[in-house]
Amino acid sequence: MFSGVGACNKEVVKENGEMTERSPVKEGDAVKLEEAEKLFKGYYTARYTIKDPANPPTVDEIADRIKGYLSEDEYNAQVLNRFYSMPAIVAKEIKKSIEVQSVKLEEQSINEDGTVDYSYTTVFKVYDENSSKIYKKEGELTLTIIDNELKVTRDWSGGIKIDGLDGGL
């Protein structure tokens, strides 16, 4: 095993307040559903969790949190489109926190290029000290193995209407 931050194949992520390691995978390995869900939940938790709506993370902080989950092309596309900044804007506008409750992936296809397509459902809790509401978001996801790490290469979803807001997540 290599030492040092740059050469380490395991990435430590914070999930539900606990530090966990993402295990390396090899090109040609079958992507296990449990590993895919763990990666996706980590990615969506990093992207959507807004604990303090009055002081949400900055665009750069969110970009930094999600970078390790995405292929370079997907990361650059999200940065260009500010795709990941919406949760902070929504939370600040409605003055509520956002938390990922659960994710569920369903494998759709294993592609010739080694990528795997999934459909997903994510459950969010939007809350403050006075109220809480659960929202579900559905979408599609593509994962692949890049440099022995599972990465998101495509994330598409329909928006969800959030109470108290003209738009949504």
Side-chain angles (χ1 to χ4, degrees), residues 2-168:
F2 296 101
S3 62
V5 175
C8 187
N9 279 338
K10 291 186 178 180
E11 182 175 335
V12 177
V13 295
K14 195 165 192 174
E15 188 173 295
N16 295 330
E18 298 178 23
M19 299 305 283
T20 61
E21 289 183 349
R22 286 182 29 208
S23 301
V25 289
K26 295 181 184 138
E27 305 289 338
D29 280 356
V31 176
K32 295 179 179 83
L33 183 61
E34 303 82 39
E35 286 295 317
E37 284 184 335
K38 184 176 180 181
L39 172 88
F40 185 63
K41 184 166 187 186
Y43 160 56
Y44 256 43
T45 297
R47 184 172 154 203
Y48 281 97
T49 298
I50 308 295
K51 293 182 188 249
D52 181 2
N55 187 24
T58 67
V59 171
D60 290 338
E61 289 169 336
I62 295 171
D64 191 49
R65 291 192 317 204
I66 65 169
K67 187 172 189 171
Y69 295 98
L70 306 174
S71 69
E72 187 175 342
D73 288 344
E74 180 66 9
Y75 175 77
N76 289 336
Q78 287 194 24
V79 167
L80 184 64
N81 295 317
R82 297 194 175 263
F83 184 58
Y84 54 83
S85 62
M86 193 55 67
I89 294 167
V90 167
K92 192 167 192 167
E93 179 72 24
I94 63 173
K95 299 176 177 67
K96 293 188 181 205
S97 299
I98 301 171
E99 180 180 303
V100 175
Q101 297 286 290
S102 66
V103 299
K104 181 173 181 179
L105 296 181
E106 185 176 318
E107 187 177 291
Q108 298 298 306
S109 63
I110 299 173
N111 305 306
E112 288 182 17
D113 65 358
T115 61
V116 183
D117 294 326
Y118 298 90
S119 61
Y120 65 80
T121 303
T122 306
V123 177
F124 297 95
K125 179 171 85 170
V126 177
Y127 64 96
D128 62 14
E129 59 279 345
N130 299 317
S131 66
S132 175
K133 184 161 182 184
I134 300 296
Y135 294 91
K136 288 185 181 181
K137 183 175 190 165
E138 296 182 346
E140 298 173 1
L141 177 74
T142 302
L143 299 179
T144 194
I145 298 169
I146 299 172
D147 296 330
N148 297 329
E149 291 185 336
L150 200 54
K151 299 283 185 172
V152 174
T153 59
R154 178 181 67 98
D155 177 11
W156 175 89
S157 63
I160 54 173
K161 175 84 171 100
I162 302 293
D163 291 349
L165 193 63
D166 287 337

